[in-house]
Amino acid sequence: MQTHYRTCNICEALCGIEIQHEGQNILSIKGDPKDPLSRGHICPKAVALQDFYVDEDRLRAPLKKTADGFIEISWEEAFEITTNKILALQEKYGKDAVAVFLGNPNAHNMGNLLFMRPFYKALRTKSRFSASSVDQMPHHVAAVHMLGHSLLNPVPDLDHTNYLLVMGGNPLVSNGSMMASPDIAKRLRAIRERGGKIVVIDPRRTETARKADEHLFIKPESDAIFLLSMIHVLVQENKVRLNHLEDALTGLEEIITLVKKYPPEKAEQITGIKAEKIRSIALEMAAADKAVLYSRMGLSTQTFGGLCIWLTNVFNILNGNFDRVGGMMFPRPAIDPITFSPKKGKPKYESIPLSRVRKLPKYLGEIPAASLAEEIETEGEGQIKALLCIAGNPVLSVPNGKRVEKAFEKLEFIACADIYLTETSKHADIIFPATSGLEISQYDITFLNLAIRNIAKYSPALFPKKGNVKHDWEILAELTARLRGEENPGHTPEMYVEMALGMGHYAKEGLSLEKLKAHPHGIDLGPLTPCLKDRLQTDDDTIRLAPTVFLEDLKRLDESINISNSQPDFPYQMIGRRLLRQHNTWTHNSHRLSKGKNECTLMINPKDANKIGITSGNTVLVKSRIGEIKVEAEVTDEIMAGVVSLPQGFGAGKKSKMKIATAQNSVSINDLTDDLRVDTLTGNAALNGVRVQVLKL
Ligand SMILES: Nc1nc2c(c(=O)[nH]1)N[C@H]1C(S)=C(S)[C@@H](COP(=O)(O)OP(=O)(O)OC[C@H]3O[C@@H](n4cnc5c(=O)[nH]c(N)nc54)[C@H](O)[C@@H]3O)O[C@H]1N2
Ligand SMILES: Nc1nc2c(c(=O)[nH]1)N[C@H]1C(S)=C(S)[C@@H](COP(=O)(O)OP(=O)(O)OC[C@H]3O[C@@H](n4cnc5c(=O)[nH]c(N)nc54)[C@H](O)[C@@H]3O)O[C@H]1N2
Ligand code: SF4
Ligand SMILES: [Mo]
């Protein structure tokens, strides 16, 4: 029997796992108590890593689409066809005719991250899409304009704070996002045990809300007004504290002036939260020695995502809790993206390029994912003619997925790198079967820069590749070489990791790949410490509290308040939710994760259910501007009246190697979400707050 230690790379929590195995036979997967970040915690998904490894229905050889369905082909043929198609289409229509969509697992895979840059360089396309713009783009936009670099994202110092206000996040289920915080349940409990307080503001009484001291319902998409009035209270009550950042800020006067017109009384009408409550939360946070406001998905995937994340930062700064123990802090990762792409300069909103069709901003050089369909459909220079989809499932993950699927018919070529035949990859001409989970080596480049404690950890692959598959980075490296007409130089991710560690903050202390290999549980680099002043990337080394982009966007917010919110055709606002035993659209094949009662239900408040005349278990018809679905209703006072909730990630059928079965009892929320609803400031999709009608069948 052997024991292997690694980091689970399914989600952002970075849990250390301990795997006991005899050869390729897994005996157990448990939490690794010696992992310095996760301290033994895991969730049910880690155990399913073995299912994904052995799953007979995973892709095990390259596939080519023919008139009679998919056939297995050689790697040589798959590379040859794909390279020739890309070059021919770029020759005929221009470089940008070939688009790339990068899905979420890329962020959890060092090979993909390291080999993507040269791949893009060889491809020279500006048609780049990713899951970032259906997720966290507002966080990057706030970071760019306020701190000068899109990857300077603050994380809550959970282990030291005494007051945690959570808006639009459900870390007890998601295990934390834009904050690698494994063992979250214990960490939240510890806040309360040391006399601290947790408040959750969410249109649903979530699993996290149930464990908090207080939960307040908020009307979807009204958070920006709530935040403005929280800042209003700090200013009006003379509670602004800047601490060590006092000499490093610009824009305070603008903030003081603009929040005047957002008193809690006004916010009460819009958010549904009582003015006294808003005042008391702001004052409690001002009085707490260490307090932090944490905002996530529910705030970044709504119409005012950019404003919400900006105001979250402004509140934390004005409350004296930015770059300070117990507040919002900045990790100092061993591989620091800032070292490799320093920005020093003033990002000018006017210079952010715009997308071709809808003229949405292209932050991080990406066209918003909500525009994927229209960029394919709309004729003219720059029209997309081919799509390369790497570890993504946009048919299920972007708003109005059906429109994306329909648009695929217009493409002349699609290639996907995936581990499964999916709702997206089934449309591909060529599918490259990739490795995942236990077959890859991993150093987490993305999420160690978002971890609530500084650590470094390297995990070698546990098992050899199963079947005729390749690592994503091998696929990318080979395509890169062929597009360039060069020999593949045969670099490995480890070569880059070693180099990056050598240039990193801990190289002087001897941190190297070799040292990490000798420490399979990972190396603790200590708690987060104030470091923002050293890492700021603005040209004058100040934090910009009031960038023009946000000030201007306030007009859009004010206008939305003035427009009456009642829409008789679509009286309800739909929001999403995540489930503990599923990960986005791709884990449904694991029986241990999918068994049990149907969780794909529409949550609806008893008051609304009475009006419609439905009870739990009834099938209802849900309609939005773009589509309709039938789904089982779940009547519960967990959801606010006027709001309904459908889980994301469903609509995924049972996968097999050559075909995909239609999903039973499983509907895609993105058959209802509207691709025209975006946060026009950041281009991020507004997946929450979608107007729907619910009818009895
Ligand atoms: N309405 C609504 N829509 C949402 C969300 C929501 O909350 N509500 N959430 C959004 C968010 S936060 C995200 S991140 C996106 C996710 O959107 P996507 O990234 O498009 O979706 P995933 O389900 O993560 O798809 C990942 C794909 O990669 C494959 N895969 C898994 N591991 C690997 C691997 O190692 N290599 C390769 N090559 N393929 C792999 C899977 O089989 C799957 O097809 O969805 C977004 N969509
Ligand atoms: N088990 C599991 N874990 C996951 C994932 C998964 O699919 N399954 N996905 C991973 C990914 S890709 C991501 S990005 C993270 C996301 O991590 P989280 O951000 O924690 O994810 P959600 O559970 O989507 O939480 C969003 C919350 O916002 C609330 N909300 C919706 N609209 C509004 C609004 O207008 N205002 C306010 N205040 N709240 C609102 C919703 O009710 C929900 O509770 O989770 C990751 N972890
Ligand atoms: S919380 Fe995330 S990282 Fe931890 S075991 Fe579960 S899926 Fe893996
Ligand atoms: Mo995500």
Side-chain angles (χ1 to χ4, degrees):
M1 192 178 74
Q2 293 153 289
T3 307
H4 169 85
Y5 300 99
R6 67 186 296 104
T7 301
C8 169
N9 76 326
I10 295 176
C11 89
E12 302 175 39
L14 308 180
C15 297
I17 53 178
E18 180 184 296
I19 304 179
Q20 304 216 302
H21 62 107
E22 268 169 0
Q24 286 183 30
N25 183 24
I26 290 188
L27 305 173
S28 70
I29 298 183
K30 294 192 190 124
D32 176 3
K34 290 192 183 147
D35 182 283
L37 191 61
S38 65
R39 318 176 299 197
H41 170 81
I42 51 166
C43 86
K45 289 183 284 181
V47 188
L49 280 169
Q50 56 190 308
D51 304 343
F52 305 131
Y53 182 64
V54 298
D55 190 350
E56 283 306 321
D57 291 321
R58 253 182 72 180
L59 299 173
R60 300 292 182 192
L63 297 182
K64 177 169 116 173
K65 185 170 252 171
T66 70
D68 303 321
F70 285 106
I71 55 164
E72 292 193 356
I73 56 170
S74 69
W75 279 97
E76 177 55 33
E77 197 181 346
F79 283 130
E80 179 81 4
I81 293 173
T82 304
T83 313
N84 289 344
K85 271 288 182 185
I86 292 173
L87 292 175
L89 289 170
Q90 286 193 321
E91 171 77 29
K92 188 167 167 196
Y93 300 110
K95 296 279 179 206
D96 301 336
V98 176
V100 180
F101 182 94
L102 302 181
N104 170 275
N106 288 287
H108 298 275
N109 187 314
M110 72 167 174
N112 298 45
L113 292 167
L114 293 167
F115 286 76
M116 200 57 76
R117 203 189 272 216
F119 177 63
Y120 266 140
K121 256 188 151 170
L123 210 52
R124 292 190 8 230
T125 176
K126 290 200 279 294
S127 303
R128 303 173 181 193
F129 299 81
S130 88
S132 290
S133 53
V134 282
D135 184 344
Q136 82 289 359
M137 193 59 92
H139 293 259
H140 300 304
V141 173
V144 142
H145 290 292
M146 299 182 77
L147 310 172
H149 199 294
S150 56
L151 299 178
L152 267 177
N153 301 113
V155 301
D157 186 14
L158 285 188
D159 288 346
H160 303 102
T161 197
N162 290 327
Y163 199 114
L164 173 67
L165 174 58
V166 180
M167 294 184 73
N170 186 14
L172 272 194
V173 166
S174 68
N175 287 291
S177 185
M178 298 297 282
M179 71 170 174
S181 53
D183 206 9
I184 184 84
K186 249 191 233 151
R187 291 188 140 108
L188 295 186
R189 214 179 307 132
I191 295 176
R192 302 183 65 193
E193 280 166 8
R194 59 179 176 262
K197 181 167 180 177
I198 303 175
V199 179
V200 172
I201 297 188
D202 198 298
R204 179 167 79 87
R205 191 163 62 249
T206 59
E207 295 77 356
T208 308
R210 278 183 238 144
K211 299 278 179 196
D213 295 274
E214 198 166 351
H215 165 245
L216 301 165
F217 282 131
I218 188 167
K219 206 169 143 28
E221 303 207 297
S222 67
D223 305 85
I225 300 286
F226 173 86
L227 291 168
L228 284 161
S229 74
M230 290 271 287
I231 301 168
H232 173 103
V233 176
L234 287 186
V235 170
Q236 195 204 25
E237 305 284 334
N238 226 344
K239 297 291 182 193
V240 172
R241 288 174 296 170
L242 302 172
N243 294 334
H244 71 302
L245 297 179
E246 180 145 27
D247 60 348
L249 291 171
T250 48
L252 184 58
E253 284 312 311
E254 281 102 317
I255 298 290
I256 289 173
T257 311
L258 79 88
V259 295
K260 282 200 182 114
K261 61 174 187 169
Y262 301 98
E265 286 66 26
K266 179 171 181 178
E268 171 174 336
Q269 293 162 24
I270 299 155
T271 61
I273 299 177
K274 290 257 176 281
E276 312 89 85
K277 200 36 92 196
I278 299 175
R279 212 164 253 123
S280 74
I281 294 176
L283 293 176
E284 280 171 19
M285 289 187 79
D289 159 40
K290 297 163 181 161
V292 65
L293 160 62
Y294 163 71
S295 302
R296 209 25 211 115
M297 275 290 287
L299 269 66
S300 68
T301 56
Q302 57 157 284
T303 315
F304 302 104
L307 288 180
C308 284
I309 305 304
W310 164 57
L311 293 168
T312 296
N313 286 346
V314 172
F315 180 86
N316 282 317
I317 295 168
L318 267 51
N319 195 34
N321 279 295
F322 207 64
D323 190 38
R324 183 160 173 268
V325 171
M328 273 296 189
M329 299 200 77
F330 292 83
R332 210 179 168 79
I335 295 183
D336 187 351
I338 311 294
T339 317
F340 296 98
S341 54
K343 287 277 145 56
K344 285 277 175 199
K346 199 176 196 168
K348 290 198 183 60
Y349 188 50
E350 313 83 66
S351 67
I352 302 289
L354 301 179
S355 68
R356 184 177 69 101
V357 179
R358 218 189 305 174
K359 309 289 172 226
L360 291 171
K362 287 167 57 175
Y363 280 99
L364 305 181
E366 292 182 9
I367 303 173
S371 312
L372 178 58
E374 71 198 13
E375 292 286 341
I376 298 172
E377 293 161 358
T378 312
E379 282 168 22
E381 207 184 311
Q383 184 183 4
I384 294 169
K385 297 287 186 178
L387 178 69
L388 311 176
C389 180
I390 321 242
N393 195 1
V395 169
L396 294 186
S397 68
V398 312
N400 202 352
K402 280 268 186 317
R403 181 173 171 192
V404 170
E405 188 165 31
K406 184 95 184 85
F408 282 175
E409 290 167 17
K410 287 202 147 192
L411 292 175
E412 295 186 26
F413 182 70
I414 303 177
C416 292
D418 207 293
I419 59 171
Y420 285 115
L421 195 66
T422 69
E423 294 66 22
T424 298
S425 64
K426 74 175 183 192
H427 297 283
D429 299 285
I430 298 289
I431 312 181
F432 296 98
T435 54
S436 87
L438 304 177
E439 296 158 289
I440 62 162
S441 56
Q442 173 70 342
Y443 179 99
D444 204 302
I445 295 171
T446 313
F447 299 104
L448 288 175
N449 187 33
L450 291 165
I452 60 162
R453 189 174 178 90
N454 291 315
I455 72 145
K457 182 164 166 175
Y458 168 80
S459 318
L462 169 61
F463 291 148
K465 296 169 189 161
K466 199 174 175 75
N468 188 15
V469 299
K470 283 191 193 294
H471 298 307
D472 285 294
W473 64 266
E474 290 179 304
I475 300 166
L476 292 169
E478 186 60 29
L479 286 172
T480 303
R482 287 176 187 241
L483 287 169
R484 284 192 180 141
E486 291 168 3
E487 275 289 295
N488 185 341
H491 296 162
T492 63
E494 276 72 6
M495 289 163 67
Y496 293 111
V497 167
E498 194 160 7
M499 210 159 62
L501 285 171
M503 291 165 69
H505 300 299
Y506 305 89
K508 276 193 243 91
E509 293 148 44
L511 190 71
S512 64
L513 185 57
E514 200 186 350
K515 187 163 171 188
L516 289 178
K517 283 180 179 168
H519 290 81
H521 305 287
I523 293 179
D524 190 12
L525 301 169
L528 306 187
T529 51
C531 64
L532 181 59
K533 283 186 173 176
D534 297 339
R535 304 190 74 222
L536 258 185
Q537 296 292 306
T538 47
D539 51 359
D540 57 358
D541 290 318
T542 68
I543 300 169
R544 298 169 196 286
L545 279 173
T548 325
V549 269
F550 300 115
L551 301 184
E552 284 182 353
D553 202 39
L554 286 170
K555 287 182 211 135
R556 192 169 60 97
L557 181 71
D558 292 340
E559 280 161 20
S560 84
I561 300 171
N562 298 332
I563 301 168
S564 160
N565 240 340
S566 94
Q567 293 188 26
D569 291 350
F570 298 112
Y572 302 100
Q573 284 180 292
M574 182 183 70
I575 60 170
R577 67 177 187 273
R578 286 182 148 71
L579 302 175
L580 192 62
R581 292 182 302 130
Q582 292 296 347
H583 196 78
N584 295 343
T585 73
W586 64 271
T587 52
H588 303 257
N589 251 34
S590 163
H591 178 66
R592 82 179 81 219
L593 295 183
S594 302
K595 67 182 181 204
K597 78 172 193 347
N598 174 28
E599 291 187 289
C600 187
T601 57
L602 185 84
M603 286 184 171
I604 184 163
N605 185 277
K607 281 189 202 143
D608 297 322
N610 277 342
K611 262 189 255 163
I612 305 166
I614 50 164
T615 54
S616 281
N618 288 163
T619 303
V620 288
L621 182 70
V622 191
K623 287 183 174 184
S624 72
R625 185 189 74 81
I626 67 131
E628 57 182 59
I629 55 154
K630 286 177 195 160
V631 67
E632 186 184 320
E634 180 182 346
V635 180
T636 166
D637 65 3
E638 198 176 85
I639 191 97
M640 186 177 180
V643 181
V644 294
S645 156
L646 199 62
Q648 66 101 30
F650 279 84
K654 165 82 178 140
K655 295 150 169 94
S656 75
K657 258 186 261 179
M658 296 293 178
K659 62 179 194 322
I660 175 161
T662 320
Q664 289 278 323
N665 296 329
S666 172
V667 288
S668 173
I669 187 173
N670 288 320
D671 288 346
L672 292 173
T673 53
D674 191 335
D675 49 324
L676 295 185
R677 291 182 87 251
V678 293
D679 171 21
T680 48
L681 174 67
T682 64
N684 206 93
L687 303 166
N688 285 303
V690 177
R691 286 276 164 189
V692 296
Q693 173 64 287
V694 182
L695 300 166
K696 185 179 176 173
L697 269 183

